[in-house]
């Protein structure tokens, strides 16, 4: 992109503003999680995949309201059903907190028996999902384990490929992306299901890939003659040099996800929304979080260059001095 061909933005000088924005997002996310715990008992809006129970999606042939459906279910003795609109049509989702499936009485039969007296044949069941409570808890643990293992494997790779400072900064930036994404999910009360876990793992991969591209350019620039540049200036130059790739990749990915969000329908909408949030936050962190973290780690634990590297730098400086003398 020619607009970023000779970019020279002071990203490292802007990092304190990014810290303030990140702190506000963290605070808003934690407040939303706390309010969810106080109001609903859980910090996220877990779906049937994690809580256990039964989900039944119904479609009506004529316009109805949530109050009408809730009134029909209460008249049939079902006071614990949670009813929400699904999509833009006359479709609704009924969540039952219990898991009870027998050959004589299925969830579909219970819903139709409760709604048919009020709506007749204008209602039909389009989807049924049922998960036992034990399976739901096991899925929660496995989802958490999948994210932790992915972060651990990435840290090991970066430690081997670069060094531990780069790995620690990349993991910190990725953790930042996940926590802010989860905070926004809590604020929006987006349903968390297995699709959400898949989206979070995708965010981990995308964010790390973006960060590794910047870190690879930093490592490359560190091996070149510095010409009096400080470590912070090298970080800033590396971010600007990779900026065209970062913007192009993020823009193309965001365009695809927006198409999924708009035209993909209600089934995939939450998945696309989580990915859009994660990609945007991941692009932000690869510029304003990962490199500043690396800078802070370098300031706390300075890197000692090997003797060969020091000799190479001293030889390079000697040649430059000799060239200036001859001129």
């Amino acid at each position: 992109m020619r607009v970023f061909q000779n970019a020279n933005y002071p990203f490292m000088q802007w990092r304190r503003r990014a810290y303030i924005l990140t702190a506000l997002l963290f605070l808003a996310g934690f407040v939303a999680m706390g309010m969810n715990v106080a109001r609903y008992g859980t910090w996220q809006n877990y779906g049937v995949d994690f809580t256990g129970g039964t989900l039944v999606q119904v479609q009506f042939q004529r316009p109805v309201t949530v109050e009408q459906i809730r009134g029909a279910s209460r008249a049939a003795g079902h006071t614990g059903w949670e009813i929400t609109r699904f999509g833009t049509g006359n479709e609704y989702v009924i969540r039952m907190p219990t898991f009870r499936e027998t050959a004589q009485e299925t969830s579909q039969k219970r819903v139709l028996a409760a709604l048919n007296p009020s709506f007749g044949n204008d209602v039909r069941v389009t989807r049924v999902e049922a998960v036992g409570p034990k399976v739901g808890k096991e899925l929660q643990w496995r989802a958490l384990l999948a994210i932790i293992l992915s972060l651990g494997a990435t840290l090991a790779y970066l430690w081997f490929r670069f060094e531990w400072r780069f790995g620690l900064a990349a993991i910190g930036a990725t953790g930042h992306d996940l926590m802010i994404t989860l905070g926004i999910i809590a604020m929006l009360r987006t349903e968390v299901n297995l699709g959400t876990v898949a989206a979070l793992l995708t965010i981990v991969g995308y964010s790390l890939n973006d960060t590794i591209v910047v870190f690879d350019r930093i490592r490359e620039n560190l091996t070149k003659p510095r010409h009096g540049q400080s470590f912070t200036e090298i970080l800033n130059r590396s971010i600007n040099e990779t900026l065209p790739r970062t913007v192009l990749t993020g823009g193309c990915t965001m365009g695809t996800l927006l198409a999924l969000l708009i035209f993909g329908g209600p089934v995939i909408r939450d998945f696309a929304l989580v990915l859009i949030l994660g990609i945007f936050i991941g692009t932000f962190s690869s510029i304003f979080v990962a490199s500043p973290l690396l800078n802070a780690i370098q300031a706390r634990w300075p890197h000692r260059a090997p003797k060969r590297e020091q000799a190479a730098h001293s030889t390079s400086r000697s040649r430059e001095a000799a060239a200036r003398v001859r001129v």
Side-chain angles (χ1 to χ4, degrees), residues 85-139:
R85 180 181 289 274
F86 186 80
T88 56
N90 294 318
E91 294 189 67
Y92 293 84
V93 168
I94 300 173
R95 290 181 176 85
M96 307 175 191
T98 57
F99 175 77
R100 188 178 62 193
E101 295 287 326
T102 63
Q104 292 76 23
E105 185 184 28
T106 63
S107 301
Q108 180 172 346
K109 290 180 180 179
R110 289 202 305 275
V111 169
L112 291 178
L115 299 183
N116 279 340
S118 299
F119 303 102
N121 295 324
D122 289 338
V123 57
R124 68 184 184 92
V125 175
T126 59
R127 177 167 62 109
V128 177
E129 295 180 5
V131 178
K134 184 176 180 181
V135 176
K137 291 182 179 179
E138 185 177 348
L139 288 175

Side-chain angles (χ1 to χ4, degrees), residues 12-24 284 288:
M12 295 301 292
Q13 294 181 16
W14 296 340
R15 65 184 185 275
R16 290 178 178 82
R17 302 176 188 176
Y19 294 161
I20 296 174
L21 177 60
T22 295
L24 291 175
F284 170 85
F288 291 106

Side-chain angles (χ1 to χ4, degrees), residues 274-316:
V274 174
L275 278 179
I276 288 174
L277 291 173
I279 298 304
F280 181 81
I281 296 168
T283 302
F284 170 85
S285 73
S286 67
I287 296 174
F288 291 106
V289 177
S291 295
L293 268 178
L294 180 60
N295 188 54
I297 294 171
Q298 171 67 19
R300 179 64 180 84
W301 296 285
H303 172 65
R304 304 294 182 183
K307 293 183 178 180
R308 291 182 180 178
E309 186 177 335
Q310 292 177 359
H313 282 303
S314 62
T315 303
S316 173

Side-chain angles (χ1 to χ4, degrees), residues 29-308:
F30 286 135
V31 169
M33 293 175 189
M35 291 178 63
N36 287 342
V37 171
R39 185 177 300 178
Y40 305 104
T42 58
W43 65 297
Q44 293 287 355
N45 180 23
Y46 287 116
V48 174
D49 292 337
F50 295 125
T51 60
T54 308
L55 180 148
V56 180
Q57 182 179 337
V58 294
Q59 184 180 45
F60 293 86
Q61 302 301 320
R62 57 185 173 88
V64 297
T65 63
V66 173
E67 287 73 20
Q68 289 176 315
I69 302 173
R70 186 174 290 116
S73 64
R74 287 177 177 173
H78 304 293
T79 57
W81 289 4
E82 180 184 343
I83 303 166
T84 55
R85 180 181 289 274
F86 186 80
T88 56
N90 294 318
E91 294 189 67
Y92 293 84
V93 168
I94 300 173
R95 290 181 176 85
M96 307 175 191
T98 57
F99 175 77
R100 188 178 62 193
E101 295 287 326
T102 63
Q104 292 76 23
E105 185 184 28
T106 63
S107 301
Q108 180 172 346
K109 290 180 180 179
R110 289 202 305 275
V111 169
L112 291 178
L115 299 183
N116 279 340
S118 299
F119 303 102
N121 295 324
D122 289 338
V123 57
R124 68 184 184 92
V125 175
T126 59
R127 177 167 62 109
V128 177
E129 295 180 5
V131 178
K134 184 176 180 181
V135 176
K137 291 182 179 179
E138 185 177 348
L139 288 175
Q140 284 190 41
W141 164 247
R142 290 191 176 186
L144 178 62
L145 185 63
I147 294 175
I148 293 174
L149 288 178
S150 66
L151 291 175
T154 304
L155 176 60
Y157 167 76
L158 290 175
W159 197 324
F160 174 77
R161 185 73 172 80
F162 297 94
E163 59 172 294
W164 69 269
R165 292 170 180 80
F166 289 87
L168 193 59
I171 293 300
T174 306
H176 158 278
D177 300 343
L178 289 176
M179 288 306 300
I180 290 183
T181 303
L182 288 172
I184 297 177
I185 291 175
M187 283 188 275
L188 299 177
R189 291 290 296 168
T190 302
E191 183 178 297
V192 177
N193 48 36
L194 291 179
T196 309
V197 176
L200 291 175
L201 290 174
T202 305
I203 291 169
V204 169
Y206 182 92
S207 176
L208 285 171
N209 179 68
D210 235 12
T211 301
I212 287 172
V213 169
V214 178
F215 280 2
D216 192 58
R217 182 58 61 91
I218 292 173
R219 187 184 63 168
E220 179 183 339
N221 288 335
L222 286 173
T223 61
K224 298 177 181 178
R226 296 192 178 186
H227 303 291
Q229 284 187 322
S230 65
F231 186 77
T232 303
E233 291 171 334
I234 292 175
L235 295 182
N236 197 77
R237 176 158 63 94
S238 302
I239 296 172
N240 279 286
E241 289 174 354
T242 56
L243 189 61
R245 182 263 174 204
T246 301
V247 173
L248 273 175
T249 305
C252 292
T253 308
M254 197 67 70
T256 304
L257 293 175
L258 284 173
L260 283 177
L261 181 68
I262 297 170
F263 304 109
V267 175
I268 203 172
R269 189 163 294 153
D270 288 345
F271 175 78
L273 176 62
V274 174
L275 278 179
I276 288 174
L277 291 173
I279 298 304
F280 181 81
I281 296 168
T283 302
F284 170 85
S285 73
S286 67
I287 296 174
F288 291 106
V289 177
S291 295
L293 268 178
L294 180 60
N295 188 54
I297 294 171
Q298 171 67 19
R300 179 64 180 84
W301 296 285
H303 172 65
R304 304 294 182 183
K307 293 183 178 180
R308 291 182 180 178

